[in-house]
Amino acid sequence: MDDLLNEFIAETSEMLGALGGAIVAWEGAPDDRPRLDEIFRFVHTVKGNSGFFDLPRITALSHAAEDALAAVRSGKRQADHRLVSAVLAAIDRLGELVHAIETGEALASADDEPLIEALSREEPALQPEVQHAAAAAAPRAAVRTIRLPVDLLDRMMSGISDLVLARNALARRLRDGAAEAEVAACFERVSGTVADLRDAITRTRMQRIENLFAALPRMVRDLGTETGKKVALEIDGGDVELDREMIEMIRDPLTHIVRNAIDHGIEPGEDRRRAGKSDGGRLTVSARQAGNQILIEISDDGRGIDGDRLVEKALATGTLTAEAAAQLTPAQKTALIFEAGLSTAAAVTNLSGRGVGMDVVRANVERIGGIVEVDSRKGEGVTFTLRVPLTLTIIPALTVRVAGQAFAIPRSAIEEIVRVKGGAVRVERLGRAAVATVRDRRLPLVDFAEIIGLPPATEPEDRMLVVLKPAGGGLYALAVDAVQDHEELVVKPAAPAVMAAGLYAGTTLADDGRPVLLLDPPGIAARAGISFARKEIEETERAAPARAATPFLLFRTLAGVLRMVEASAAQRIEEVPAEAIAATAGRLRVAIGEAILPLEGCAAKPDSQIRLLRLTDGGTEIAYAVREIVDIIPFAGTPIPASAPGEIRGVALVEGEQVELLDLHWLFARHAGAPADARRPICLLPTEDPFLETILRPLVESAGYEVRTGGPDEEADLVIHTDASAPPPATTGRVLRLRAAAEPAGEGDDSIHRYDRDALLRALTEGRKRA
């Protein structure tokens, strides 16, 4: 009997969660008979089941709701606002009663009578206290049960069978003393089977995100009624699947954002009419999968966030200084919405306006390894984007060592990894704070060994810096003793005393069985006193003028060859599965997120996951396959040029080893439609420009030109002019004009497409002859 009752509780709770949205949709379309029948069938089923289990209060309440709905079905009553409110209140009370049965708590039976009376009247009117309880009822914890498709269970059983067979084969070869290659092959089979089984088990934790969205129609209706606003809700992407624990953890952040959008995001009807908008506001909630992340977007067409007003509040509360506020960009002003205690609401209401909520939203999302982004358009609306991982149980992470202990860092928060030794990084102290200059960016430096009160195991110059981006905006560098490897880790909650430290997001086990704590990048930043809304730690802040040496990224190719490329062209490092790579449109390409990039450094589709460099010239992106990243080094020498144009432009001696230099111009020219087999171009660069400095300058140096930077007054035989629409500069030398567009602007346009290698080569060669 207990099993049957538990099943009744689970099924009723699950159906109640989705029924609120169905009732709200029925109110908007009262002639929708199939939806009315669906609601009626549910109430009828609850009445019948409660009678079987002898639950008189549930029976009486569901019977009253059934009678009211039956009257609507027969045409005797109308589905007006009051009747729908009464039905919704009854559904809320049914949920409370079911929860009370599950937990054993007592609920006053007198509270049922006003609801039954309201359902029974021809003109139902809820009492104020009942109406309030219906609108503000807190969500109840659901019975922890799951429903699984049979084919998924079959897949799990098949995986167990395969795992047993693979284990037996491995044990037999170990017992027989088989060759190392045979043992390795068996081990690979075991590993593959474990990965498949792990994936199947992970699928058992997945739920459609529509379970999260189901409560939104009811919430929007109640909030619209309370604020006197008309709000139309649009939901998309309910079929996206997400870890069931993740759904529960983002429920509160989603609720905060929706409440704020309706309360003081969407304007009252009169204000909207004055702004030339429709009387009713629009709220859109959507979900989609991008790689191993789920993106949840909440958009409204309201007044937007007033960044200047946020700055005023921040100045008044001392969150910002006047000097820092004067240098904030519009995006940084908007990001102040996440600072505790700041709000743009004109008055405090029951819903919002106290400056409490958005800081909690960001903290909760970051706690599960996600980030929150905001895009505000004043007078047009706001879009909040929640980026969260698919699952909390298995995450890709980087393992590091600090003070002799192993720790893990979520890979989603890692921007790059650099070594202090070698001159590519400069560390200095400003008062009690440490600052690291990484590729001309000044970043706050946090010594994790110092945070946990242990002495570091390495000298300062031998340490590694992991640049973290935990909040979608600011960066900071975390100093560790050593970086070990990238791994996929099974993460579990740590002990309460450990989690209370605010530095950790969970725990896992290393290969040797030792526990490894997963670091919490936002928590570490908070402990170190870093606030990403302040100018002094703005990630775009630049250091002193660049030195003569240029930072290069040193790496090994898939074949083990040592190569390097200008670090400024390397946007980031990605790891992608083999399934993301395909030979399409005549060349290898890789799908990363929502982008399809051409793939270089790889002759054929790999069999397993590989690491990629994302190279950019400021507009185009190329993925380059690598085995490992070795280091970032400063290089000021002149390489020996290659004998023919191609992927390699030359070779240089770095710490006694021959290192090949990638020819970025050749690589990008291939994907810009220009011929790849033309002669190498020669040019003189008068001004600093990302394209000229990163793509063209290496070619100039390897061809023997002396490169100078400066304005048009510099003496030069040939001057590059990149703004083809502007008059050429006054100079004694010849002017070569480059344009970004593939086609000329019209007749008389003598500019050259910057990736038209033949035309560029002819012009530069002519300029050299005249010099």
Side-chain angles (χ1 to χ4, degrees):
M1 188 69 173
D2 286 344
D3 291 341
L4 292 176
L5 183 60
N6 287 337
E7 186 174 348
F8 165 74
I9 292 173
E11 289 185 356
T12 305
S13 299
E14 181 179 339
M15 296 180 68
L16 281 170
L19 195 63
I23 296 174
V24 173
W26 170 55
E27 180 184 29
D31 295 333
D32 188 347
R33 183 59 183 258
R35 195 176 298 276
L36 173 59
D37 292 342
E38 173 190 354
I39 300 168
F40 179 84
R41 281 194 300 270
F42 168 77
V43 175
H44 178 75
T45 301
V46 171
K47 185 191 75 170
N49 290 342
S50 62
F52 174 78
F53 290 108
D54 192 19
L55 304 172
R57 292 179 62 185
I58 294 180
T59 301
L61 192 58
S62 57
H63 196 310
E66 182 187 38
D67 288 346
L69 294 170
V72 176
R73 296 176 78 199
S74 63
K76 296 179 181 179
R77 296 179 67 174
Q78 298 296 319
D80 55 18
H81 182 81
R82 292 185 175 182
L83 175 60
V84 172
S85 297
V87 174
L88 286 171
I91 295 299
D92 285 342
R93 171 56 65 170
L94 287 175
E96 292 173 355
L97 291 172
V98 170
H99 181 72
I101 294 172
E102 179 188 1
T103 60
E105 67 182 70
L107 287 177
S109 60
D111 293 342
D112 298 348
E113 296 304 321
L115 294 175
I116 295 175
E117 183 180 355
L119 288 166
S120 304
R121 292 184 195 155
E122 289 298 324
E123 292 293 331
L126 291 177
Q127 299 298 323
E129 62 272 14
V130 177
Q131 212 165 17
H132 175 72
R140 298 293 188 177
V143 180
R144 293 182 63 85
T145 60
I146 57 174
R147 296 174 180 269
L148 300 178
V150 175
D151 60 344
L152 181 56
L153 293 175
D154 292 341
R155 178 182 168 188
M156 293 170 60
M157 288 303 301
S158 176
I160 291 292
S161 300
D162 291 344
L163 184 60
V164 171
L165 294 175
R167 181 203 62 183
N168 293 343
L170 177 60
R172 183 171 61 254
R173 280 164 176 75
L174 290 173
R175 187 171 55 249
D176 297 342
E180 183 178 344
E182 294 184 22
V183 174
C186 285
F187 182 78
E188 287 296 324
R189 179 183 173 189
V190 172
S191 299
T193 305
V194 169
D196 291 342
L197 186 59
R198 182 196 66 188
D199 179 65
I201 294 175
T202 300
R203 299 297 304 174
T204 65
R205 297 177 55 89
M206 306 300 278
Q207 278 189 345
R208 289 164 66 99
I209 206 169
E210 65 182 4
N211 294 322
L212 175 64
F213 292 165
L216 293 182
R218 168 72 188 281
M219 182 193 306
V220 171
R221 176 190 184 272
D222 291 342
L223 294 176
T225 300
E226 186 170 346
T227 58
K229 300 175 182 178
K230 297 179 181 178
V231 182
L233 174 66
E234 298 177 8
I235 296 178
D236 186 32
D239 56 344
V240 173
E241 290 190 334
L242 190 61
D243 189 296
R244 60 190 300 114
E245 295 295 330
M246 189 74 72
I247 287 179
E248 293 306 315
M249 290 183 177
I250 62 179
R251 190 181 301 276
D252 284 347
L254 179 64
T255 300
H256 271 296
I257 296 175
V258 170
R259 290 168 72 94
N260 282 351
I262 296 176
D263 188 30
H264 61 87
I266 295 176
E267 312 94 326
E270 184 177 347
D271 293 347
R272 292 180 62 86
R273 286 192 294 272
R274 282 199 298 264
K277 301 180 180 180
S278 60
D279 287 357
R282 186 179 70 254
L283 182 66
T284 303
V285 181
S286 63
R288 57 190 173 91
Q289 183 173 345
N292 62 349
Q293 287 187 325
I294 296 296
L295 274 62
I296 302 173
E297 293 185 349
I298 307 99
S299 302
D300 66 68
D301 64 346
R303 58 172 59 94
I305 298 174
D306 190 338
D308 293 331
R309 182 160 178 77
L310 280 171
V311 171
E312 293 176 7
K313 291 290 187 75
L315 290 172
T317 59
T319 305
L320 279 180
T321 64
E323 294 78 11
Q327 307 206 26
L328 291 177
T329 65
Q332 290 168 332
K333 292 179 181 179
T334 302
L336 289 172
I337 195 70
F338 296 113
E339 289 292 308
L342 294 187
S343 172
T344 57
V348 173
T349 69
N350 290 332
L351 300 180
S352 57
R354 295 176 174 82
V356 178
M358 293 313 300
D359 59 320
V360 178
V361 166
R362 187 174 70 175
N364 288 346
V365 173
E366 289 175 349
R367 189 174 295 118
I368 58 178
I371 60 175
V372 184
E373 300 171 347
V374 57
D375 177 22
S376 175
R377 303 164 303 283
K378 191 172 181 180
E380 298 180 15
V382 178
T383 298
F384 284 94
T385 302
L386 310 183
R387 296 178 178 269
V388 297
L390 276 171
T391 177
L392 285 176
T393 55
I394 301 174
I395 66 169
L398 176 75
T399 54
V400 299
R401 294 198 73 81
V402 178
Q405 303 292 324
F407 298 92
I409 304 174
R411 199 183 306 167
S412 60
I414 298 175
E415 183 78 4
E416 63 178 307
I417 305 167
V418 295
R419 188 187 301 274
V420 174
K421 188 176 182 179
V425 176
R426 187 172 70 254
V427 176
E428 54 190 329
R429 299 198 72 86
L430 301 176
R432 291 183 298 174
V435 176
T437 301
V438 181
R439 286 203 267 167
D440 298 337
R441 293 182 299 184
R442 292 170 61 84
L443 307 176
L445 175 60
V446 178
D447 189 333
F448 190 66
E450 183 178 323
I451 289 286
I452 59 178
L454 294 176
T458 57
E459 296 298 324
E461 64 271 12
D462 294 327
R463 310 192 76 190
M464 302 289 290
L465 299 185
V466 182
V467 179
L468 300 176
K469 186 177 183 180
L475 297 173
Y476 74 94
L478 185 71
V480 299
D481 292 330
V483 171
Q484 293 182 312
D485 201 1
H486 289 275
E487 299 182 43
E488 287 192 339
L489 303 178
V490 179
V491 179
K492 299 179 180 179
V498 175
M499 299 298 287
L503 302 175
Y504 311 106
T507 183
T508 185
L509 294 179
D511 294 340
D512 58 4
R514 295 183 180 181
V516 175
L517 288 171
L518 180 70
L519 300 185
D520 179 20
I524 295 173
R527 172 69 68 85
I530 298 174
S531 172
F532 295 112
R534 293 170 173 79
K535 176 65 178 178
E536 57 266 28
I537 61 164
E538 181 189 347
E539 68 154 309
T540 57
E541 183 181 353
R542 297 294 171 179
R547 300 177 296 276
T550 302
F552 276 77
L553 187 67
L554 194 64
F555 63 90
R556 290 194 182 275
T557 66
L558 296 182
V561 178
L562 199 59
R563 289 179 180 170
M564 64 182 184
V565 65
E566 287 82 355
S568 58
Q571 187 178 30
R572 66 180 61 187
I573 303 168
E574 303 269 6
E575 290 201 14
V576 300
E579 295 76 18
I581 300 172
T584 55
R587 61 168 54 124
L588 284 178
R589 303 176 193 272
V590 58
I592 302 178
E594 297 185 342
I596 299 178
L597 306 181
L599 177 60
E600 295 286 352
C602 190
K605 180 179 177 179
D607 298 327
S608 59
Q609 177 173 287
I610 64 170
R611 197 166 296 170
L612 301 177
L613 279 179
R614 291 180 69 167
L615 304 175
T616 180
D617 67 346
T620 305
E621 277 193 73
I622 293 175
Y624 196 93
V626 301
R627 176 191 293 177
E628 62 175 340
I629 303 300
V630 178
D631 203 351
I632 293 182
I633 61 170
F635 179 72
T638 300
I640 301 173
S643 57
E647 184 177 348
I648 305 303
R649 67 179 173 91
V651 62
L653 197 64
V654 178
E655 296 184 355
E657 290 193 71
Q658 296 187 42
V659 180
E660 295 179 340
L661 280 76
L662 285 187
D663 187 336
L664 288 174
H665 191 278
W666 186 89
L667 285 172
F668 280 96
R670 289 188 65 190
H671 302 286
D677 57 352
R679 292 176 56 197
R680 297 167 65 79
I682 307 170
C683 65
L684 183 65
L685 314 180
T687 58
E688 292 186 358
D689 178 272
F691 165 74
L692 300 178
E693 281 290 313
T694 303
I695 308 298
L696 287 185
R697 180 170 183 153
L699 293 173
V700 176
E701 292 174 339
S702 63
Y705 262 84
E706 177 183 359
V707 176
R708 297 181 183 177
T709 58
D713 295 335
E714 287 276 346
E715 292 187 4
D717 299 304
L718 191 64
V719 176
I720 297 294
H721 185 49
T722 55
D723 188 357
S725 63
T731 179
T732 58
R734 184 165 179 254
V735 176
L736 177 60
R737 304 201 312 167
L738 300 183
R739 65 174 185 272
E743 300 296 331
E747 294 185 8
D749 184 358
D750 60 351
S751 62
I752 297 174
H753 179 217
R754 62 179 181 174
Y755 284 128
D756 188 344
R757 197 177 186 97
D758 282 340
L760 188 60
L761 178 60
R762 286 193 298 269
L764 294 173
T765 302
E766 180 64 25
R768 188 175 184 182
K769 290 178 180 178
R770 295 184 183 183

